[in-house]
Amino acid sequence: SIPNDPQRKESNVRSTEYYVTARMQGEITAKLYGSVYAGFGEVEYTGGYANHENLPLGGADLTWSIDPRRTLVLAAYSGADYAPDGEAVYTTHAFVSFTNVVIEHWQYILRGGPTYSVLRRATDQRTENALEEGVSFVYIPSSRFQVSLSVDHTKQLSSDTEAQYEQIIFSLGTSYHF
């Protein structure tokens, strides 16, 4: 990405990230199961801006199979993201997700929850609170292939600077497992 600083206009910022995690998962009851993971990450930024960060990361999810067609997930995770101008973004995110199989091979997913982010270079520059929500429509013709269309909305609730944002992202995705 190219930084917003006009003095470094030609200096691309590249991020390299490595993560090592361990995960435990299991069934609590016939309809309730979950997982927990923890690990360590290393993020390095080079180019117009250079930085190196080591950070812990982790998360957990709890899934309730309401019936064969509906599930409810409660999840939280913490880790790093990357901002296009070279800032490291440490994010803690919690959300609730509801999946409903409408008819065979077709389902929709509703999700939403709060996010807390710390944006930094060498020192913390700002913190933000946002609310994220989204919906996905998914077609799964086989256990190996799926296509999805998603709409995600993020609205910043607060920031300790005057930066404000709201975004809507439309995504078309496909995956094939072999």
Side-chain angles (χ1 to χ4, degrees), residues 10-60:
E10 301 302 320
S11 301
N12 291 344
V13 177
R14 299 186 184 277
S15 111
T16 306
E17 304 174 20
Y18 300 98
Y19 300 101
V20 175
T21 60
R23 178 181 293 264
M24 282 190 335
Q25 56 188 22
E27 186 176 288
I28 300 166
T29 68
K31 291 189 169 209
L32 195 61
Y33 54 94
S35 69
V36 62
Y37 71 92
F40 179 77
E42 179 181 55
V43 182
E44 183 173 39
Y45 303 93
T46 58
Y49 163 70
N51 190 20
H52 182 262
E53 300 283 343
N54 297 312
L55 66 143
L57 56 114

Side-chain angles (χ1 to χ4, degrees), residues 80-148:
D81 283 326
Y82 171 69
D85 64 354
E87 292 174 313
V89 183
Y90 300 106
T91 301
T92 301
H93 182 69
F95 67 91
V96 174
S97 173
F98 174 74
T99 302
N100 187 32
V101 177
V102 182
I103 57 174
E104 188 177 3
H105 306 295
W106 291 91
Q107 66 184 24
Y108 67 85
I109 303 165
L110 302 172
R111 62 192 165 277
T115 299
Y116 174 76
S117 301
V118 177
L119 290 84
R120 60 180 288 133
R121 285 206 168 95
T123 61
D124 290 356
Q125 293 186 304
R126 72 180 188 267
T127 60
E128 297 178 346
N129 289 295
L131 184 61
E132 298 180 15
E133 55 200 9
V135 62
S136 296
F137 297 96
V138 185
Y139 175 59
I140 308 172
S142 73
S143 62
R144 295 179 180 260
F145 179 72
Q146 77 175 28
V147 178
S148 64

